[in-house]
């Protein structure tokens, strides 16, 4: 029988299948159909997803998901510049692979693997307990304290190994302005309900912008937001808020 139909039926009946489980099955079904050496592809590009780091569960809001599934969600946002909710990850991946990627599955799985290495380095760098930490690691640590998983698609876009590297100064500027936006909003107790949409919009903007000026582009975008769910609090508001806290 069709393995994908079996997986989808099990999932519909409440079996504990993650988005990563379903995507894995879909990928290797397509690789098998194309005559690819699936064992070699598994060893090179998927086996690592079945280790403790990737299978551990992390909190996203009030729910918990396997890190591998969350990564694939973030990867899709980074690739598409679209907001992708957790329950739609599998369906969006299928549509991306079939209609948007423009790549055979044998190449697409390599891109997923390469991006997973970037993601893991970011996560582990942010959790460094001693010794020096670079700007990216500090950004990861601070956004982690804010419990903001939502920012990771932007990191994947900025550090995309398929794209030319962003100049150091512009990369640091992009991290600085996003961090400032998030921390300032936290200090004034602003809502976070639009963050997934904002990050998707920034990713889309970065995708179509010159990477040599990415920091300027991100700064201009955030500075131009005016609604209560998106604006960037200024120094006056921060001083007033901190002053009220002291009183």
């Amino acid at each position: 029988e069709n393995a994908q139909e079996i997986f989808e039926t099990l999932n519909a009946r409440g079996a504990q299948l993650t988005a990563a489980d379903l995507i894995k099955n879909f990928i290797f079904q397509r690789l098998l159909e194309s005559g690819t050496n699936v064992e070699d592809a598994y060893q090179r590009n998927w086996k690592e997803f079945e280790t403790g780091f990737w299978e551990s569960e992390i909190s996203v809001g009030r729910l918990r998901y396997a890190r591998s599934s969350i990564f694939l969600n973030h990867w899709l946002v980074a690739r598409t510049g679209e907001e992708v909710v957790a329950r739609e990850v599998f369906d969006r991946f299928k549509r991306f692979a079939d209609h948007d990627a423009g790549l055979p599955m044998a190449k697409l799985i390599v891109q997923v693997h390469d991006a997973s290495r970037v993601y893991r380095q970011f996560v582990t760098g942010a959790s460094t307990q001693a010794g020096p930490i670079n700007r990216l690691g500090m950004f990861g640590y601070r956004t982690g304290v804010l419990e903001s998983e939502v920012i990771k698609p932007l990191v994947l876009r900025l550090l995309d190994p398929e794209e030319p590297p962003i100049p150091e100064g512009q990369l640091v500027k992009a991290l600085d302005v996003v961090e400032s936006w998030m921390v300032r909003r936290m200090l004034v107790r602003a809502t976070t309900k639009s963050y997934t949409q904002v990050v998707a919009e920034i990713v889309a903007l970065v995708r179509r912008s010159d990477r040599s000026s990415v920091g300027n582009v991100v700064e201009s975008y955030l500075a131009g937001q005016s609604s209560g769910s998106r604006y960037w609090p200024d120094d006056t508001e921060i001083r007033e808020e901190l002053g009220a806290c002291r009183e």
Side-chain angles (χ1 to χ4, degrees), residues 23-183:
I23 289 171
K24 172 192 174 184
N25 184 69
F26 171 72
I27 287 173
F28 284 94
Q29 180 188 3
R30 290 298 173 83
L31 291 176
L32 188 63
E33 292 170 352
S34 68
T36 301
N37 184 329
V38 294
E39 179 60 26
D40 182 65
Y42 170 78
Q43 293 293 333
R44 288 175 178 272
N45 299 306
W46 195 270
K47 183 177 181 179
E48 186 179 341
F49 284 120
E50 297 173 357
T51 59
F53 175 84
W54 292 104
E55 292 183 342
S56 61
E57 292 190 339
I58 56 177
S59 297
V60 180
R62 291 173 292 179
L63 301 175
R64 294 180 65 81
Y65 300 93
R67 180 179 271 123
S68 55
S69 295
I70 295 301
F71 159 71
L72 289 164
N73 190 333
H74 294 333
W75 181 81
L76 280 170
V77 177
R79 283 285 164 181
T80 65
E82 300 172 7
E83 189 176 2
V84 181
V85 298
R87 67 179 179 275
E88 297 175 355
V89 171
F90 176 45
D91 288 337
R92 186 65 185 93
F93 185 91
K94 287 199 297 183
R95 285 189 287 114
F96 179 79
D98 288 342
H99 304 295
D100 302 334
L103 294 171
M105 189 60 77
K107 291 188 177 180
L108 190 62
I109 192 177
V110 173
Q111 289 191 354
V112 172
H113 174 260
D114 290 346
S116 76
R117 296 178 66 181
V118 172
Y119 182 95
R120 182 164 188 164
Q121 289 170 2
F122 177 69
V123 171
T124 55
S127 60
T128 299
Q129 298 294 316
I133 185 169
N134 62 19
R135 183 64 186 90
L136 185 64
M138 183 60 72
F139 177 81
Y141 169 75
R142 289 172 175 166
T143 54
V145 169
L146 294 174
E147 298 181 345
S148 186
E149 279 291 310
V150 71
I151 203 65
K152 288 186 171 69
L154 177 58
V155 174
L156 289 174
R157 187 75 238 178
L158 294 174
L159 303 180
D160 189 345
E162 301 296 319
E163 298 284 349
I166 295 173
E168 181 70 14
Q170 286 293 304
L171 176 61
V172 169
K173 184 171 186 178
L175 300 178
D176 284 348
V177 297
V178 171
E179 184 181 292
S180 171
W181 179 78
M182 294 180 70
V183 171

Side-chain angles (χ1 to χ4, degrees), residues 5-26:
E5 290 181 4
I6 295 172
F7 260 60
E8 291 176 351
T9 300
L10 287 171
N11 197 44
R13 292 179 178 177
Q16 295 300 309
L17 298 174
T18 67
D21 291 330
L22 296 169
I23 289 171
K24 172 192 174 184
N25 184 69
F26 171 72

